[in-house]
Each structure stands twice: as structure tokens, then as C-alpha cells.
Amino acid sequence: MTQLRTTTPSGYSRILGVGGARGGLVVTNDEIVEPLGISDEWIRRRTGIVTRRRAPRDVQVQDLAEQAGAAALEASAVDPADIDAVIVATASWVRQTPGMAPIVAAALGASPSAAAYDVNAGCAGFCYGIGQADSMIRSGLARHVLLIGAEKLSPFADPTDRTISFIIGDGSGAAVLGPSDVPRIGPTVWGSDGTHADAITVTHSWLDYKYAGDEPVEWPTARQEGPSVFRWATSVVPQFAAQAIEAAGLRPEDIDVFIPHQANLRIIESVGTALGLRDDVVIARDVIDTGNTSAASVPLAMERLLREGAAHGGQLALEFGFGAGLCYAAQVVELPESVGGDGESRKKG
């Protein structure tokens, strides 16, 4: 009987370089509190956020993705033509089809033979993508993978909504992954709890538009059940993060850097304490002045730590994403040496 041929496992994977692009507008708490009937102190006490970064109207989510992707390619010194797959994690791409990834791949100069697809796992999307890219490379399906987390969530923010609008930011973070002779990315621990799927959502789908003539009169807006999400994150997330550390053959004291989804400073600090990390561990707190950028938050936080020198290549970082779904994913990675880009968004051309 003739047997099928399959790809040959090719060892391990690693992150070669990262890049980022943040929304170019700095929006302070004082600029958004009046319609919400709250104060700067109210936001700081509940979330730790002082400012958030948002993109101007003429900067689209694919612009952010392309800028971050180009920066990661530059940092990794990988030619776009050598990318075998482009994965874009996003919850804010506004077209049902095609996905954003093929458009971004073409704009960056990837070969038509490169796979390109979107992942929508909410704020866990980038960490989902790390698990997929790692598997692709280890199995021999791909040699180099460009992974991008990109969000322009500000158009989905209702300025009168107290549940989520005041935490929303815009940005994109990216990483190029390639082969390694030794393990530099630990196993991914992931999952979801669809019984809480309505805890983070948008008000309605594109098919639910309400029209007056030819013009839509209602735009989908983001909502969340804040107390429910907080309780779930602080009680459940530490368990799965601990599993990711154990799956990598490590102990909490082996972790040098903690890069959780930048949802809320109270959640970040609570999870860090529950994990029993070292007192000197570097904890990403990008949420304070960037806001919650969903699938972009983990790579943006990583990019910033490396660019500013708070963390450095070779350190072991626990990264964790969690959000709508409720989806979650975590893994331990060795940080790369290279970071690229200026960290600011701009309109193409």
C-alpha cells in the first residue's frame, strides 16, 4: 500500500524579534470621564489606567498591523519572502471576509506561497498564535512565522459605557518566530469557558445593523460584565499560568519576567502575587499608559520591556492572555535579543 508523505519534525522554535506600533493619540482620563459620570481617581483606583493610546481616524487596524509586522521583520533580520505563514490575532477587523492576514502579508512582501489567516480568540489571541506558530515550526510545516496581534478598538467604545469603554486602547505588536536547536518556547496551556461567553462581547453583529435609509444608525459597541470577569481572572487565571510554568519544567522562582494581558492593573498584580513569583521579577504594566489593547497587549508589553531595557534577551518570560470567549492561553518563552520599530502608529504613505 502506498503511504502518505508528511513533513519532518525540525526541532524547536524561538522568538527571533519583536516590534510594535501604538495609537498615536494620548487620551487622558480627564478627556473621557464627563460622559461616564466618573473621575480620573475612579478609573485609576479600579484599573490603574492613567492614559490610553488610540489611533487617529485615518489610521486603520491593518496600518497598525503592517507597521508592527515590519518592525518585527526588521528586528529579526528575516526577509519577508522567507516567511512561511502570517497569523494575525484580532477581534477588531471590520470585514467578514477576507481576513486581515492575507492583506497584511501582501503589503509586507510575503510570498504568495505563505499561509495567511486570522485568529479571533479575543485578548488571548496572541498567545493562541504563539502555540500555533511553535507547532508549525516544530512539525516542519513552516520555518519562519510572522505573528501579529492588532486591534483598533476605539471605534467600538461607547463614550457613555462604564463597563469597558474607558480601558480601550489601539495598537499592534508582532513577533517573528523561527527554528531553534534547543527549547526556547514552552508548551502552550490553553482553553476556553463558553459558559461565560457573554461576559465580554459586542452589542450586536454586523448582520444586526439597524438602518435608516442606506445609513446604519447603530454601530456595534463593546460591553463587559466587569465584576464577573474580574472574579474569573483572579481565581482561574493563576491556575492555568501555574500549569504553563510546570509544563515548561520550571518553578515560579525560575520566571524572570511576567507579561500578562494588560487588562487591568489590579488583575495583573493579583495574579502575580498568587503565582508566588520572585520579588525581583519584572512585571509588565503597559496598561497604565497604553490601555487595554486586547490581542495586541502581550506583544506590545514585551516590545516595550525590551525597547526600554527593563527586560533583555535570554530571560524567561511567562506570558498569559485571557478574554472574550472566555478564552485563555499561556506559555513560557525565552525573550529575544532584538526589538525594532519606533512604537508609534502612522498612516501609510
Side-chain angles (χ1 to χ4, degrees):
M1 178 178 177
T2 303
Q3 289 190 332
L4 294 172
R5 179 182 299 172
T6 185
T7 54
T8 302
S10 58
Y12 307 100
S13 75
R14 62 180 174 139
I15 299 175
L16 301 174
V18 297
R22 287 168 170 76
L25 303 177
V26 178
V27 180
T28 67
N29 289 340
D30 287 337
E31 293 178 74
I32 64 172
V33 294
E34 185 175 354
L36 296 169
I38 55 179
S39 66
D40 167 69
E41 189 275 336
W42 189 94
I43 295 176
R44 293 190 191 216
R45 178 160 37 88
R46 284 166 173 76
T47 70
I49 296 174
V50 178
T51 63
R52 71 279 301 137
R53 301 293 290 271
R54 291 183 174 174
R57 183 182 296 271
D58 63 351
V59 173
Q60 305 304 317
V61 65
Q62 65 266 35
D63 298 328
L64 296 168
E66 290 170 21
Q67 290 155 24
L73 287 165
E74 176 188 21
S76 65
V78 173
D79 191 296
D82 293 328
I83 293 294
D84 301 303
V86 178
I87 304 171
V88 175
T90 184
S92 55
W93 179 235
V94 296
R95 298 171 70 175
Q96 185 70 29
T97 193
M100 194 198 314
I103 297 170
V104 172
L108 292 175
S111 166
S113 64
Y117 64 94
D118 293 0
V119 172
N120 185 350
C123 305
F126 183 82
C127 293
Y128 264 56
I130 287 285
Q132 294 176 28
D134 172 54
S135 295
M136 285 182 183
I137 294 167
R138 287 191 295 107
S139 70
L141 183 60
R143 181 170 176 83
H144 293 104
V145 178
L146 173 60
L147 170 61
I148 303 172
E151 304 285 13
K152 185 176 182 181
L153 292 162
S154 54
F156 298 88
D158 177 350
T160 65
D161 168 57
R162 287 194 192 187
T163 71
I164 199 170
S165 66
F166 58 91
I167 69 175
I168 284 175
D170 302 329
S172 178
V176 174
L177 287 79
S180 173
D181 293 333
V182 297
R184 289 191 169 94
I185 295 178
T188 293
V189 172
W190 59 4
S192 65
D193 184 355
T195 63
H196 297 289
D198 290 335
I200 306 172
T201 186
V202 295
T203 52
H204 55 279
S205 75
W206 302 114
L207 298 178
D208 295 328
Y209 266 35
K210 298 178 176 62
Y211 285 89
D214 293 327
E215 296 298 322
V217 296
E218 185 175 352
W219 181 264
T221 54
R223 294 286 191 276
Q224 76 168 346
E225 298 173 3
S228 298
V229 174
F230 183 87
R231 287 192 298 270
W232 179 84
T234 54
S235 62
V236 175
V237 165
Q239 302 172 32
F240 298 121
Q243 289 177 22
I245 296 172
E246 182 179 1
L250 303 171
R251 300 170 298 176
E253 54 265 35
D254 296 319
I255 300 301
D256 303 307
V257 184
F258 181 37
I259 311 178
H261 164 48
Q262 301 294 292
N264 177 308
L265 191 60
R266 290 169 61 204
I267 293 175
I268 291 169
E269 293 177 343
S270 174
V271 173
T273 298
L275 286 170
L277 303 175
R278 298 195 317 261
D279 291 341
D280 65 341
V281 71
V282 176
I283 300 179
R285 295 182 172 89
D286 195 46
V287 67
I288 294 173
D289 51 25
T290 300
N292 180 338
T293 54
S294 187
S297 78
V298 168
L300 273 178
M302 181 187 300
E303 177 267 346
R304 180 176 188 166
L305 291 175
L306 292 168
R307 177 166 47 85
E308 295 183 349
H312 58 79
Q315 288 186 307
L316 294 177
L318 169 65
E319 54 184 23
F320 199 110
F322 58 91
L326 293 167
C327 295
Y328 63 86
Q331 59 270 131
V332 178
V333 304
E334 183 180 301
L335 293 177
E337 298 289 344
S338 301
V339 59
D342 58 13
E344 297 289 338
S345 67
R346 57 195 179 279
K347 188 177 184 294
K348 290 186 296 183

